Amino acid sequence: MRRDLAQLTSREYDLIVVGAGVHGAWAAWDAVLRGLKVALVERGDFGGATSGNSLQMLDCWPSPPRLLDVASLRTSLAETATILRLAPHLAQPLPCLLPLRHGLKQFPPLLNAACRAHSLLRGGMDEPLPPKAKVIPAAELGRWAPEPLVRGARAGLLWHNGQLDDAQRLCLALADAAWRGGAAVANYVDVREVITRNGWAVGVRARDVIDDAELEIRGRAVLVAAGPWTRELTGQAPRQPQWALGCNVVLDRPIGRAAVALRSPFGRHKDPLRGGRLLFMAPWRGRTILGASYRLSLGAPQRPAVWADDFLTLLGLFNRACPELALQPQEVCSVRWGLLPLAQGGVAPLGGGLSTRPQVRAMAISGGPKRLFALSPVELTTARALAQRAVDLVLAHLGLRGRACRTARQPLWDEPAALTANPPSAIDQASLDRLAVDYGHNAAQVAALAADDQALAQPLSADCPVLGCQVAFAARREMAARLADVILRRTEMGKFGPPPDEAVRRAATIMARELGWGDKRLDDELTLARRAFFLTRQVRQAQGQPLKRFIG
Ligand SMILES: Cc1cc2nc3c(=O)[nH]c(=O)nc-3n(C[C@H](O)[C@H](O)[C@H](O)COP(=O)(O)OP(=O)(O)OC[C@H]3O[C@@H](n4cnc5c(N)ncnc54)[C@H](O)[C@@H]3O)c2cc1C
């Protein structure tokens, strides 16, 4: 995948997709598969906003409120099965456990309904499906979760969600698939406005963030999938407050096999956003991801205010829900946050809290330009289905109905090519196995870079197993334009907290060589990359503060 802005601006597209979060990336690939000429532009990096900071669960939880919306529950189940099938290297089934402390007597009707609905809705779907939900006895709980989390529980509800290994890699894989199918794809292109002529959307005006240059991209239709920023770009009247800030943290502590759901001490009735009734602790790459807490997002969506206290509050909620956990700030290896839309009316009790209704709109319906479309997301689980709806709508407006969507059948994964049969000698087998998991069919190409240049076969430092060839591959083939892209989104360097400085410097040197950076640019990139861990460091330094303070 190459960033070619000359090509981007040299032709007219059938569809310009603005935003390469999970929705925009699915939409671009879908449109390519249906024969459209597509441009996909992203003002930051692929999946670098809310998509890359979510809990990464493909959510099939048959909760009582969701049982009332059977269609949405069925879509979630079907989409989870689809992603597990299409991208087995990026998603796995995730057992989830809700310990039931009050015994079965208080729960049977709802629980039985939930389990039965789960089984019924799975009927007729393709494999691989998450196994059926069931109630398990207290004696079995220890098989799934550590003792403190299930202490005092008399039974447990066990069901399966899916879990993305890395939502940013999913966005990258989709953008890459669109590019290989002929789309023009570019990150660090900030769309400033939609260009209209005689009431029709005919393109976008944008800025190349890297070289600070103005760009004009021409298209017959524009789909804005810019998450929280969609309303501004599509000229919808600002509605305050519109967004909730959601926070997760990754903890340097393993948990058992299952994600454990704990009842939030806030409770739904006390939470003004009617958000996290359940808090989740999910196993993730040998660590634990905790989420989520929500509050109103203050300030414009361009610059939401986020503080260390937001993450300390989340730890406090978990400690209140299960005091035996005794979570400490210094255990936090990374913090993540994103914005979620609020339902019409916003805050409870008058408003509906977090939005549960994803939307695709032709802006012409509300007096906006023709062939301008806006996508309002709710969750990444159903992003493929929502993108399909968006592309259906675009095709109808372009007079191209009848081109069937193929994204539910088209794998994002080929088996890695003979990586173990003929490994480049300098890379050890454990690293080769890791490359196969992380890069799928591209793994052989990553390893081949090290065969050409043996120095790239080495880990970046003694305590950072990422190989030099991964950094070179990110720059050459994965459109990493900044050092932070490599550290946060192309490799595991910064996934679990600030990486060792020696590894950062070595990665910066490889990037500088690949992309022709001078000394000043190299220094700027190092500064920016280190700044990315500012909040994590602040949270860790809160060591010893009484967490109780944050939740009163
Ligand atoms: C804390 C938290 C936990 C969550 N957990 C889950 C979960 O477990 N399961 C689940 O299914 N969902 C979860 N979600 C919801 C899910 O993450 C979001 O619904 C989803 O990621 C939204 O995707 P998106 O592509 O619409 O938005 P984004 O990922 O925000 O993508 C929009 C993109 O548009 C780009 N953009 C914006 N303006 C411009 C512009 N002017 N020009 C070019 N590009 C632009 C942005 O840079 C961004 O990359 C969670 C959300 C949060 C906040």
mmCIF file of all heavy atoms in Angstrom, residues 223-254:
data_model
loop_
_atom_site.group_PDB
_atom_site.id
_atom_site.type_symbol
_atom_site.label_atom_id
_atom_site.label_comp_id
_atom_site.label_asym_id
_atom_site.label_seq_id
_atom_site.Cartn_x
_atom_site.Cartn_y
_atom_site.Cartn_z
ATOM 1 N N LEU A 223 -18.903 9.772 0.885
ATOM 2 C CA LEU A 223 -19.430 9.137 2.100
ATOM 3 C C LEU A 223 -18.546 9.558 3.266
ATOM 4 O O LEU A 223 -17.346 9.287 3.272
ATOM 5 C CB LEU A 223 -19.396 7.604 1.947
ATOM 6 C CG LEU A 223 -19.675 6.803 3.224
ATOM 7 C CD1 LEU A 223 -21.101 7.023 3.720
ATOM 8 C CD2 LEU A 223 -19.430 5.308 2.983
ATOM 9 N N VAL A 224 -19.141 10.241 4.243
ATOM 10 C CA VAL A 224 -18.359 10.679 5.398
ATOM 11 C C VAL A 224 -18.552 9.662 6.522
ATOM 12 O O VAL A 224 -19.649 9.504 7.058
ATOM 13 C CB VAL A 224 -18.770 12.097 5.852
ATOM 14 C CG1 VAL A 224 -17.881 12.549 7.007
ATOM 15 C CG2 VAL A 224 -18.656 13.082 4.692
ATOM 16 N N ALA A 225 -17.474 8.948 6.833
ATOM 17 C CA ALA A 225 -17.485 7.951 7.919
ATOM 18 C C ALA A 225 -16.437 8.394 8.925
ATOM 19 O O ALA A 225 -15.517 7.657 9.257
ATOM 20 C CB ALA A 225 -17.166 6.566 7.357
ATOM 21 N N ALA A 226 -16.586 9.640 9.376
ATOM 22 C CA ALA A 226 -15.540 10.272 10.184
ATOM 23 C C ALA A 226 -15.868 10.229 11.667
ATOM 24 O O ALA A 226 -15.401 11.072 12.439
ATOM 25 C CB ALA A 226 -15.322 11.706 9.719
ATOM 26 N N GLY A 227 -16.667 9.243 12.090
ATOM 27 C CA GLY A 227 -16.963 9.074 13.512
ATOM 28 C C GLY A 227 -17.521 10.361 14.100
ATOM 29 O O GLY A 227 -18.439 10.969 13.536
ATOM 30 N N PRO A 228 -16.944 10.826 15.213
ATOM 31 C CA PRO A 228 -17.472 12.010 15.887
ATOM 32 C C PRO A 228 -17.419 13.270 15.028
ATOM 33 O O PRO A 228 -18.076 14.249 15.330
ATOM 34 C CB PRO A 228 -16.534 12.185 17.087
ATOM 35 C CG PRO A 228 -15.700 10.989 17.154
ATOM 36 C CD PRO A 228 -15.812 10.224 15.895
ATOM 37 N N TRP A 229 -16.605 13.247 13.996
ATOM 38 C CA TRP A 229 -16.387 14.458 13.206
ATOM 39 C C TRP A 229 -17.302 14.526 11.982
ATOM 40 O O TRP A 229 -17.219 15.455 11.193
ATOM 41 C CB TRP A 229 -14.909 14.525 12.790
ATOM 42 C CG TRP A 229 -14.030 14.483 13.997
ATOM 43 C CD1 TRP A 229 -13.708 15.539 14.797
ATOM 44 C CD2 TRP A 229 -13.404 13.337 14.575
ATOM 45 N NE1 TRP A 229 -12.919 15.111 15.840
ATOM 46 C CE2 TRP A 229 -12.714 13.764 15.736
ATOM 47 C CE3 TRP A 229 -13.366 11.979 14.251
ATOM 48 C CZ2 TRP A 229 -11.988 12.900 16.550
ATOM 49 C CZ3 TRP A 229 -12.649 11.120 15.064
ATOM 50 C CH2 TRP A 229 -11.969 11.580 16.192
ATOM 51 N N THR A 230 -18.187 13.538 11.841
ATOM 52 C CA THR A 230 -19.044 13.472 10.654
ATOM 53 C C THR A 230 -20.001 14.658 10.576
ATOM 54 O O THR A 230 -20.217 15.228 9.510
ATOM 55 C CB THR A 230 -19.840 12.146 10.656
ATOM 56 O OG1 THR A 230 -18.900 11.083 10.554
ATOM 57 C CG2 THR A 230 -20.812 12.064 9.503
ATOM 58 N N ARG A 231 -20.574 15.040 11.716
ATOM 59 C CA ARG A 231 -21.589 16.102 11.695
ATOM 60 C C ARG A 231 -21.019 17.405 11.151
ATOM 61 O O ARG A 231 -21.661 18.084 10.359
ATOM 62 C CB ARG A 231 -22.161 16.334 13.094
ATOM 63 C CG ARG A 231 -22.993 15.173 13.599
ATOM 64 C CD ARG A 231 -23.573 15.477 14.959
ATOM 65 N NE ARG A 231 -24.646 16.454 14.888
ATOM 66 C CZ ARG A 231 -25.911 16.152 14.648
ATOM 67 N NH1 ARG A 231 -26.257 14.902 14.465
ATOM 68 N NH2 ARG A 231 -26.826 17.087 14.596
ATOM 69 N N GLU A 232 -19.805 17.749 11.574
ATOM 70 C CA GLU A 232 -19.203 19.000 11.104
ATOM 71 C C GLU A 232 -19.022 18.963 9.590
ATOM 72 O O GLU A 232 -19.343 19.905 8.887
ATOM 73 C CB GLU A 232 -17.835 19.234 11.766
ATOM 74 C CG GLU A 232 -17.889 19.896 13.134
ATOM 75 C CD GLU A 232 -18.431 18.966 14.215
ATOM 76 O OE1 GLU A 232 -18.496 17.744 13.961
ATOM 77 O OE2 GLU A 232 -18.802 19.462 15.287
ATOM 78 N N LEU A 233 -18.518 17.840 9.088
ATOM 79 C CA LEU A 233 -18.203 17.774 7.654
ATOM 80 C C LEU A 233 -19.448 17.730 6.778
ATOM 81 O O LEU A 233 -19.420 18.145 5.631
ATOM 82 C CB LEU A 233 -17.362 16.526 7.362
ATOM 83 C CG LEU A 233 -15.858 16.686 7.491
ATOM 84 C CD1 LEU A 233 -15.172 15.369 7.188
ATOM 85 C CD2 LEU A 233 -15.339 17.758 6.537
ATOM 86 N N THR A 234 -20.535 17.204 7.326
ATOM 87 C CA THR A 234 -21.739 17.086 6.504
ATOM 88 C C THR A 234 -22.696 18.243 6.758
ATOM 89 O O THR A 234 -23.839 18.224 6.306
ATOM 90 C CB THR A 234 -22.459 15.746 6.772
ATOM 91 O OG1 THR A 234 -22.629 15.604 8.184
ATOM 92 C CG2 THR A 234 -21.670 14.582 6.231
ATOM 93 N N GLY A 235 -22.230 19.224 7.525
ATOM 94 C CA GLY A 235 -23.015 20.448 7.700
ATOM 95 C C GLY A 235 -24.254 20.268 8.546
ATOM 96 O O GLY A 235 -25.207 21.035 8.438
ATOM 97 N N GLN A 236 -24.252 19.240 9.434
ATOM 98 C CA GLN A 236 -25.416 19.083 10.302
ATOM 99 C C GLN A 236 -25.267 20.022 11.489
ATOM 100 O O GLN A 236 -24.166 20.240 11.979
ATOM 101 C CB GLN A 236 -25.517 17.643 10.798
ATOM 102 C CG GLN A 236 -25.729 16.658 9.670
ATOM 103 C CD GLN A 236 -25.565 15.233 10.152
ATOM 104 O OE1 GLN A 236 -26.412 14.708 10.847
ATOM 105 N NE2 GLN A 236 -24.468 14.611 9.790
ATOM 106 N N ALA A 237 -26.407 20.547 11.939
ATOM 107 C CA ALA A 237 -26.368 21.509 13.039
ATOM 108 C C ALA A 237 -25.755 20.860 14.266
ATOM 109 O O ALA A 237 -26.089 19.730 14.603
ATOM 110 C CB ALA A 237 -27.782 21.963 13.357
ATOM 111 N N PRO A 238 -24.828 21.558 14.953
ATOM 112 C CA PRO A 238 -24.250 20.967 16.152
ATOM 113 C C PRO A 238 -25.308 20.771 17.228
ATOM 114 O O PRO A 238 -26.185 21.603 17.385
ATOM 115 C CB PRO A 238 -23.195 21.986 16.586
ATOM 116 C CG PRO A 238 -23.470 23.222 15.829
ATOM 117 C CD PRO A 238 -24.324 22.884 14.654
ATOM 118 N N ARG A 239 -25.246 19.652 17.875
ATOM 119 C CA ARG A 239 -26.207 19.351 18.941
ATOM 120 C C ARG A 239 -25.377 19.095 20.197
ATOM 121 O O ARG A 239 -24.460 18.299 20.185
ATOM 122 C CB ARG A 239 -26.983 18.091 18.523
ATOM 123 C CG ARG A 239 -27.889 17.526 19.541
ATOM 124 C CD ARG A 239 -28.871 16.566 18.875
ATOM 125 N NE ARG A 239 -28.256 15.475 18.128
ATOM 126 C CZ ARG A 239 -27.765 14.378 18.677
ATOM 127 N NH1 ARG A 239 -27.766 14.233 19.970
ATOM 128 N NH2 ARG A 239 -27.250 13.421 17.944
ATOM 129 N N GLN A 240 -25.653 19.804 21.270
ATOM 130 C CA GLN A 240 -24.840 19.665 22.478
ATOM 131 C C GLN A 240 -25.650 19.024 23.591
ATOM 132 O O GLN A 240 -26.795 19.394 23.777
ATOM 133 C CB GLN A 240 -24.342 21.024 22.946
ATOM 134 C CG GLN A 240 -23.367 21.704 22.005
ATOM 135 C CD GLN A 240 -22.055 20.966 21.871
ATOM 136 O OE1 GLN A 240 -21.710 20.175 22.741
ATOM 137 N NE2 GLN A 240 -21.347 21.183 20.785
ATOM 138 N N PRO A 241 -25.113 18.172 24.424
ATOM 139 C CA PRO A 241 -23.846 17.502 24.177
ATOM 140 C C PRO A 241 -24.073 16.313 23.244
ATOM 141 O O PRO A 241 -25.099 15.662 23.320
ATOM 142 C CB PRO A 241 -23.446 17.016 25.562
ATOM 143 C CG PRO A 241 -24.762 16.823 26.271
ATOM 144 C CD PRO A 241 -25.746 17.778 25.681
ATOM 145 N N GLN A 242 -23.128 16.033 22.387
ATOM 146 C CA GLN A 242 -23.332 14.986 21.389
ATOM 147 C C GLN A 242 -22.591 13.699 21.683
ATOM 148 O O GLN A 242 -22.923 12.663 21.153
ATOM 149 C CB GLN A 242 -22.814 15.449 20.043
ATOM 150 C CG GLN A 242 -23.441 16.659 19.488
ATOM 151 C CD GLN A 242 -22.740 17.023 18.200
ATOM 152 O OE1 GLN A 242 -22.481 16.183 17.364
ATOM 153 N NE2 GLN A 242 -22.404 18.272 18.049
ATOM 154 N N TRP A 243 -21.511 13.803 22.463
ATOM 155 C CA TRP A 243 -20.591 12.680 22.535
ATOM 156 C C TRP A 243 -20.279 12.263 23.951
ATOM 157 O O TRP A 243 -20.232 13.094 24.851
ATOM 158 C CB TRP A 243 -19.273 13.047 21.820
ATOM 159 C CG TRP A 243 -19.539 13.279 20.383
ATOM 160 C CD1 TRP A 243 -19.764 14.479 19.773
ATOM 161 C CD2 TRP A 243 -19.708 12.279 19.387
ATOM 162 N NE1 TRP A 243 -20.044 14.276 18.449
ATOM 163 C CE2 TRP A 243 -20.014 12.940 18.179
ATOM 164 C CE3 TRP A 243 -19.622 10.894 19.392
ATOM 165 C CZ2 TRP A 243 -20.239 12.252 16.999
ATOM 166 C CZ3 TRP A 243 -19.845 10.205 18.210
ATOM 167 C CH2 TRP A 243 -20.148 10.886 17.034
ATOM 168 N N ALA A 244 -20.082 10.972 24.105
ATOM 169 C CA ALA A 244 -19.603 10.453 25.380
ATOM 170 C C ALA A 244 -18.150 10.053 25.195
ATOM 171 O O ALA A 244 -17.771 9.558 24.133
ATOM 172 C CB ALA A 244 -20.412 9.228 25.776
ATOM 173 N N LEU A 245 -17.350 10.303 26.221
ATOM 174 C CA LEU A 245 -15.966 9.836 26.201
ATOM 175 C C LEU A 245 -15.943 8.463 26.868
ATOM 176 O O LEU A 245 -16.420 8.318 27.996
ATOM 177 C CB LEU A 245 -15.078 10.808 26.982
ATOM 178 C CG LEU A 245 -13.626 10.373 27.097
ATOM 179 C CD1 LEU A 245 -12.861 10.819 25.861
ATOM 180 C CD2 LEU A 245 -12.981 10.950 28.342
ATOM 181 N N GLY A 246 -15.439 7.465 26.161
ATOM 182 C CA GLY A 246 -15.331 6.114 26.725
ATOM 183 C C GLY A 246 -13.867 5.794 26.982
ATOM 184 O O GLY A 246 -13.009 6.130 26.171
ATOM 185 N N CYS A 247 -13.575 5.174 28.126
ATOM 186 C CA CYS A 247 -12.178 4.897 28.496
ATOM 187 C C CYS A 247 -11.963 3.413 28.796
ATOM 188 O O CYS A 247 -12.809 2.768 29.424
ATOM 189 C CB CYS A 247 -11.806 5.681 29.751
ATOM 190 S SG CYS A 247 -11.819 7.447 29.479
ATOM 191 N N ASN A 248 -10.824 2.901 28.358
ATOM 192 C CA ASN A 248 -10.357 1.552 28.692
ATOM 193 C C ASN A 248 -8.934 1.652 29.212
ATOM 194 O O ASN A 248 -8.234 2.605 28.877
ATOM 195 C CB ASN A 248 -10.278 0.664 27.442
ATOM 196 C CG ASN A 248 -11.601 0.514 26.744
ATOM 197 O OD1 ASN A 248 -12.628 0.419 27.388
ATOM 198 N ND2 ASN A 248 -11.577 0.498 25.425
ATOM 199 N N VAL A 249 -8.489 0.653 29.962
ATOM 200 C CA VAL A 249 -7.055 0.568 30.265
ATOM 201 C C VAL A 249 -6.584 -0.863 30.038
ATOM 202 O O VAL A 249 -7.370 -1.809 30.151
ATOM 203 C CB VAL A 249 -6.693 0.982 31.718
ATOM 204 C CG1 VAL A 249 -7.135 2.382 32.031
ATOM 205 C CG2 VAL A 249 -7.240 0.013 32.736
ATOM 206 N N VAL A 250 -5.309 -0.994 29.687
ATOM 207 C CA VAL A 250 -4.701 -2.327 29.594
ATOM 208 C C VAL A 250 -3.830 -2.496 30.826
ATOM 209 O O VAL A 250 -3.054 -1.607 31.184
ATOM 210 C CB VAL A 250 -3.858 -2.474 28.313
ATOM 211 C CG1 VAL A 250 -3.230 -3.862 28.259
ATOM 212 C CG2 VAL A 250 -4.715 -2.226 27.091
ATOM 213 N N LEU A 251 -4.009 -3.643 31.477
ATOM 214 C CA LEU A 251 -3.365 -3.885 32.762
ATOM 215 C C LEU A 251 -2.306 -4.965 32.602
ATOM 216 O O LEU A 251 -2.546 -5.964 31.930
ATOM 217 C CB LEU A 251 -4.448 -4.396 33.710
ATOM 218 C CG LEU A 251 -4.361 -4.067 35.167
ATOM 219 C CD1 LEU A 251 -4.458 -2.567 35.367
ATOM 220 C CD2 LEU A 251 -5.492 -4.770 35.901
ATOM 221 N N ASP A 252 -1.174 -4.774 33.240
ATOM 222 C CA ASP A 252 -0.100 -5.758 33.139
ATOM 223 C C ASP A 252 -0.334 -6.882 34.142
ATOM 224 O O ASP A 252 0.436 -7.072 35.072
ATOM 225 C CB ASP A 252 1.237 -5.060 33.414
ATOM 226 C CG ASP A 252 2.384 -5.894 32.907
ATOM 227 O OD1 ASP A 252 2.120 -6.951 32.312
ATOM 228 O OD2 ASP A 252 3.535 -5.491 33.107
ATOM 229 N N ARG A 253 -1.444 -7.583 33.972
ATOM 230 C CA ARG A 253 -1.798 -8.652 34.904
ATOM 231 C C ARG A 253 -2.639 -9.645 34.103
ATOM 232 O O ARG A 253 -3.616 -9.241 33.475
ATOM 233 C CB ARG A 253 -2.646 -8.042 36.022
ATOM 234 C CG ARG A 253 -2.972 -8.970 37.152
ATOM 235 C CD ARG A 253 -4.156 -8.459 37.953
ATOM 236 N NE ARG A 253 -3.867 -7.432 38.936
ATOM 237 C CZ ARG A 253 -4.596 -7.273 40.053
ATOM 238 N NH1 ARG A 253 -5.589 -8.081 40.323
ATOM 239 N NH2 ARG A 253 -4.336 -6.305 40.884
ATOM 240 N N PRO A 254 -2.251 -10.922 34.070
ATOM 241 C CA PRO A 254 -3.084 -11.854 33.305
ATOM 242 C C PRO A 254 -4.362 -12.188 34.067
ATOM 243 O O PRO A 254 -4.411 -12.086 35.287
ATOM 244 C CB PRO A 254 -2.197 -13.090 33.153
ATOM 245 C CG PRO A 254 -1.204 -12.994 34.250
ATOM 246 C CD PRO A 254 -1.101 -11.564 34.682
#
